[in-house]
Amino acid sequence: MTPPADAIPPVRHPEAPAPGELLGAHYEHCFGCGEAQPHGLHLQARAGEGVSVTAEFTVKPAHQGAPGLAHGGVLASALDETLGSLNWLLRTIAVTGRLETDFVRPVPVDTVLHLEAEVTAVAGRKIYSTAVGRIGGPDGPVAVRADALFVEVKVDHFIDNGRPEEIQAAMANPDQIRRARAFEVNP
């Protein structure tokens, strides 16, 4: 995915979490990062340098497709969740517009997938980013990679399209930061 000629380098928001800081779940019921999802990824992302993050998730038996191997859709979800976490460093609400995923090698159940992602360019409301997932450690062999296009939206995108019970519950949270974070990545 190639950014347009007028794209600019990303700029980390001055109030973004510091490098090394755990970003935490943006919403407890999120399949990617929420702790309230029994079969979710429980992915945990950390702020990196510049506009980058690292994350890890362990492939559980509930995540398998072929016997003993991670389902490709789950791996794409892990990449999407990691890429979506980048928007917190920009302090932008954005949704996935496009996700191109390459599956390089199988990922066995009980493997820890080490993910790295970074924003490569911004063009208006469009945010271009890339990610890689490795097995066996942060420097291990590449198993999956992705390029993504996120599109900045207003919180109304979620309010107008989400299920009313969940929207009301998120909006009722007295913690301003957690309320804002509930709406930070793709629905």
Side-chain angles (χ1 to χ4, degrees), residues 32-44:
C33 65
E35 289 300 319
Q37 285 290 345
H39 298 297
L41 305 181
H42 303 149
L43 188 136
Q44 295 189 353

Side-chain angles (χ1 to χ4, degrees), residues 27-42 63 166:
Y27 179 57
E28 66 181 358
H29 297 288
C30 174
F31 176 77
C33 65
E35 289 300 319
Q37 285 290 345
H39 298 297
L41 305 181
H42 303 149
H63 301 142
E166 278 86 0

Side-chain angles (χ1 to χ4, degrees), residues 35-102:
E35 289 300 319
Q37 285 290 345
H39 298 297
L41 305 181
H42 303 149
L43 188 136
Q44 295 189 353
R46 289 191 181 278
E49 297 293 330
V51 187
S52 70
V53 297
T54 60
E56 291 183 354
F57 105 92
T58 301
V59 178
K60 305 283 188 195
H63 301 142
Q64 66 187 309
L69 297 174
H71 189 285
V74 169
L75 296 175
S77 293
L79 289 162
D80 187 42
E81 184 69 26
T82 305
L83 289 156
S85 296
L86 290 165
N87 296 314
W88 185 240
L89 301 179
L90 300 172
R91 298 293 292 264
T92 298
I93 298 171
V95 296
T96 309
R98 184 178 181 111
L99 179 67
E100 295 178 0
T101 306
D102 295 316

Side-chain angles (χ1 to χ4, degrees), residues 41-174:
L41 305 181
H42 303 149
L43 188 136
Q44 295 189 353
R46 289 191 181 278
E49 297 293 330
V51 187
S52 70
V53 297
T54 60
E56 291 183 354
F57 105 92
T58 301
V59 178
K60 305 283 188 195
H63 301 142
Q64 66 187 309
L69 297 174
H71 189 285
V74 169
L75 296 175
S77 293
L79 289 162
D80 187 42
E81 184 69 26
T82 305
L83 289 156
S85 296
L86 290 165
N87 296 314
W88 185 240
L89 301 179
L90 300 172
R91 298 293 292 264
T92 298
I93 298 171
V95 296
T96 309
R98 184 178 181 111
L99 179 67
E100 295 178 0
T101 306
D102 295 316
F103 301 96
V104 180
R105 64 176 25 96
V107 179
V109 169
D110 295 327
T111 296
V112 176
L113 189 64
H114 300 268
L115 299 139
E116 298 175 14
E118 68 176 330
V119 176
T120 57
V122 176
R125 293 177 44 226
K126 296 179 178 179
I127 302 163
Y128 295 84
S129 54
T130 189
V132 63
R134 298 174 183 273
I135 55 178
D139 297 320
V142 173
V144 293
R145 60 178 164 250
D147 291 312
L149 168 65
F150 280 78
V151 180
E152 184 178 351
V153 297
K154 302 294 182 201
V155 74
D156 291 351
H157 169 84
F158 301 94
I159 293 169
D160 294 344
N161 297 294
R163 204 163 68 162
E165 314 73 276
E166 278 86 0
I167 298 299
Q168 289 168 2
M171 294 298 282
N173 190 332

